Amino acid sequence: MKATAAMILRTFVVISVFVAPTLAQAPSSQQEQPEFIKQGQQLMREGKLDAALALYRQTLQTSPDSLEANTAAGSVLDLMGQGEEARQYFGKAIQVADTPEHKAMAQRAMAMSYAFEGDCKKIIQHEQAVFNYYGSVKEFFRQGETADEAARVCIDSGDLDTAYHWYQVGHDTGLKEPDIKPARVDLWNFRWEHAQARIAARRGSQAEAQKHVAAAKAILDKGTNPEQQPFFPYLEGYVAFYAGDYKTALQDLLKANQNDAFVQCMIGQTYEKLGDEQKASEYYRKASTAIAHNPAAAYAVPLAKKKLSSLTS
C-alpha cells in the first residue's frame, strides 16, 4: 500500500501542476519531475498543446500504465475542450494507481475534467472519493480543502445550493483538525465567510453578501493569515460584479491576483459589461491560455474561448 517517499512526492508534483488544491499546495520540487513532464509543460507554456499531447502519447506507447503520462494527457485534452477523450486517460490513471493516495489524486483529476464542462453532479461524485480518502487517513485539513474545491466548481457552474452545502462541509471538516491553531481556525472562518458572500451575491442578496464581506475583512484584519490578502479584492470585485456595479468591480478586480485565470476572465467580463470590447478581448485572451488543470482554469478557459469567438466574429 505504501509507495516510496520519492514516488509519492513525484506524483504530487505532477498532479499539483494540473490539479492544484484550493489554496494550499503539496510540497513540490522541479527536480523530481520526469523529463517528459518538464518538456510537456514548457510546450504548454509556449501554447503548443498539440505538441505536448503528442509527447505524452509517445510516452504512453512505451509506458501505458504511467500515472503521470495518463494524467498529463488528460489534462491537455481538457484544455483543448476534448473532455470525453480526456476522461479515458483519467480513467486509466485511476485504474493503474498503485496506492489509495495516488488513486485519490487521479479521482481529483477526473473531477476537474468535469469542471471544465460545468457538471457539478459528476464533480461531486469524484471529489467525494477524494474526500473519503482523506477522511480515512484523518487528514482533516486536506479533506476540508477537497470539499471547498468541489464547492468552488459547483458555484462556478451555477449550482448554488450544492456549493453552499460543500463549503459548509469544508469549513466544519477543516475545524476537526486535532490541536488546531487559532490561525487555522481564522483561515477556515475566512473561507466560509468568503464563500457565503459570493453565494449571496449570486442569489441577488446584496445586503447578505456585504454582511459576509465585512465578516471576512474582520477576520483578515486580525493578521493571522496574511497570505489570504489577495483573495479579498477578488471577493469585493466579485460581489460588485453581481450587483451590477461594474466600475467598482473593475477597480477591485484589478487589485486581485492578475495571474489568476479566473480573475482575468472576470475582468474580461467586467470590461464587456462596460462596453469596452477591446479590453475585454485582451483579458479573455489571457485567460484562454491558462494551462493549469484546476477550478480557475476550468471556469476561465472554456468561457474565455467562447467569448473571444463571439467578440471577434
Side-chain angles (χ1 to χ4, degrees):
M1 175 177 170
K2 294 284 185 181
T4 66
M7 285 179 61
I8 291 174
L9 179 56
R10 186 179 68 182
T11 301
F12 268 128
V13 169
V14 173
I15 296 182
S16 68
V17 171
F18 299 108
V19 194
T22 307
L23 296 177
Q25 292 193 14
S28 64
S29 168
Q30 187 74 10
Q31 295 180 348
E32 294 290 337
Q33 296 181 4
E35 186 61 30
F36 75 89
I37 290 291
K38 290 189 284 185
Q39 292 174 2
Q41 290 169 9
Q42 181 58 40
L43 288 169
M44 292 171 70
R45 284 191 289 270
E46 295 170 2
K48 300 175 182 177
L49 299 187
D50 287 330
L53 179 59
L55 175 64
Y56 298 143
R57 283 175 167 163
Q58 181 181 4
T59 301
L60 287 167
Q61 287 179 2
T62 55
S63 305
D65 291 346
S66 168
L67 179 64
E68 296 97 333
N70 276 290
T71 302
S75 300
V76 176
L77 284 163
D78 274 331
L79 291 165
M80 297 169 69
Q82 300 176 36
E84 186 173 349
E85 186 176 358
R87 288 187 285 277
Q88 295 178 24
Y89 288 96
F90 294 133
K92 179 69 172 179
I94 293 169
Q95 178 187 339
V96 303
D98 58 344
T99 70
E101 181 176 35
H102 294 172
K103 190 176 291 290
M105 293 300 95
Q107 289 277 9
R108 189 177 212 156
M110 181 72 86
M112 285 302 102
S113 181
Y114 283 110
F116 276 79
E117 297 178 359
D119 189 336
C120 178
K121 184 177 180 180
K122 288 290 188 179
I123 292 161
I124 295 299
Q125 177 184 328
H126 292 282
E127 290 277 30
Q128 180 77 63
V130 185
F131 182 85
N132 292 345
Y133 164 72
Y134 283 129
S136 73
V137 294
K138 300 189 182 305
E139 288 195 27
F140 297 113
F141 181 74
R142 288 195 175 278
Q143 192 179 25
E145 287 206 316
T146 299
D148 273 14
E149 182 174 75
R152 164 70 185 274
V153 292
C154 283
I155 191 175
D156 289 345
S157 70
D159 191 336
L160 304 183
D161 290 341
T162 300
Y164 186 95
H165 168 75
W166 280 99
Y167 272 126
Q168 186 166 34
V169 168
H171 171 263
D172 295 348
T173 302
L175 291 177
K176 293 179 182 179
E177 181 183 350
D179 302 317
I180 190 169
K181 300 294 189 292
R184 186 61 65 82
V185 174
D186 288 342
L187 173 63
W188 285 115
N189 288 337
F190 173 74
R191 289 176 173 176
W192 180 219
E193 294 296 343
H194 197 290
Q196 290 180 91
R198 285 180 286 129
I199 291 171
R202 292 288 295 272
R203 287 174 170 163
S205 303
Q206 279 302 307
E208 182 75 7
Q210 290 300 335
K211 182 184 78 172
H212 291 296
V213 169
K217 187 175 188 303
I219 296 168
L220 198 59
D221 285 348
K222 294 169 71 173
T224 51
N225 290 276
E227 73 284 353
Q228 299 302 305
Q229 185 61 49
F231 295 97
F232 190 72
Y234 145 59
L235 173 61
E236 291 184 301
Y238 189 105
V239 170
F241 179 88
Y242 283 100
D245 185 355
Y246 302 118
K247 289 184 178 180
T248 298
L250 182 61
Q251 291 172 1
D252 291 325
L253 290 168
L254 288 173
K255 298 174 187 175
N257 181 4
Q258 298 301 289
N259 294 320
D260 185 296
F262 183 89
V263 171
Q264 292 168 349
C265 196
M266 281 212 71
I267 293 174
Q269 290 173 275
T270 306
Y271 272 122
E272 188 176 1
K273 290 289 188 181
L274 290 169
D276 191 335
E277 292 189 358
Q278 183 176 347
K279 292 293 289 186
S281 294
E282 175 187 332
Y283 278 89
Y284 286 141
R285 195 165 290 108
K286 291 179 182 179
S288 71
T289 62
I291 62 170
H293 196 252
N294 62 15
Y299 172 85
V301 172
L303 179 59
K305 288 183 177 179
K306 182 179 178 180
K307 290 286 190 177
L308 282 171
S309 179
S310 65
L311 288 174
T312 56
S313 61

